Amino acid sequence: MFTRRRLTALEQRVAQLEDQLEVMRVIAAYAPSVDGGAADQAPLLWTEGCVYDSDADDPLTGREAIAALSRRIGELPFGAAHFIAPPVVVVTGDSATVTGESHTFHQEEGRYVVGRVSANRWELTKAGGRWQVRSRVNRILDGTAPGRELLARGIGEWMA
């Protein structure tokens, strides 16, 4: 009996770790999918009705908008790169939230410069055994409340 309970607990823990790892992989895949102009693959990381809300641009809705973003960034005539720092991941059943920071870099006169430093909140859902982004909120970290509040909210959820 004791061994069966331990085995069940271990199986549950492994499943939870697998979900956390897969969520992190989806988030990590965002940068190379858009920077590489992978317009066929980038939208597959997202749900059909996804929303990407950034204070840098109008909100994007749906996979085609994500594909267009990937095409646009992939066709820039200079180097550009997104770096997503290791995030805080909270998985609850078939939903997950991810909180973290991202940095964008671009080339100016042959040098890379920081274009933007942002707070991010990603919400993912698991359907058909696959994690996908349902929404992303991106706010600049410029000393104002929106970016700070986004990060604090995520840390609060993780520590709850």
Side-chain angles (χ1 to χ4, degrees), residues 2-4 7 16-17 26 43 51 57-58 66 71 85 93 95 97 100-101 104 116 118 139 150 152 154:
F2 177 71
T3 302
R4 184 173 302 273
L7 182 57
Q16 182 182 24
L17 291 169
V26 170
V51 176
D57 207 347
D58 292 332
I66 301 300
R71 277 192 295 277
S95 296
T97 58
E101 298 170 349
T104 57
R116 183 175 168 92
S118 303
R139 297 292 180 259
L150 204 63

Side-chain angles (χ1 to χ4, degrees), residues 88 90 99 121 149-159:
V88 175
V90 177
T99 302
R121 177 183 176 87
E149 290 170 355
L150 204 63
L151 295 175
R153 176 182 175 194
I155 292 301
E157 290 171 352
W158 175 68
M159 296 184 84

Side-chain angles (χ1 to χ4, degrees), residues 11-55:
E11 288 172 339
Q12 290 171 343
R13 182 68 179 142
V14 168
Q16 182 182 24
L17 291 169
E18 287 175 335
D19 280 338
Q20 289 174 350
L21 179 59
E22 191 57 28
V23 165
M24 289 181 71
R25 284 181 174 152
V26 170
I27 301 306
Y30 169 78
S33 74
V34 295
D35 294 339
D40 292 335
Q41 293 80 22
L44 300 178
L45 299 170
W46 300 71
T47 63
E48 288 288 339
C50 65
V51 176
Y52 177 10
D53 177 9
S54 175
D55 58 6

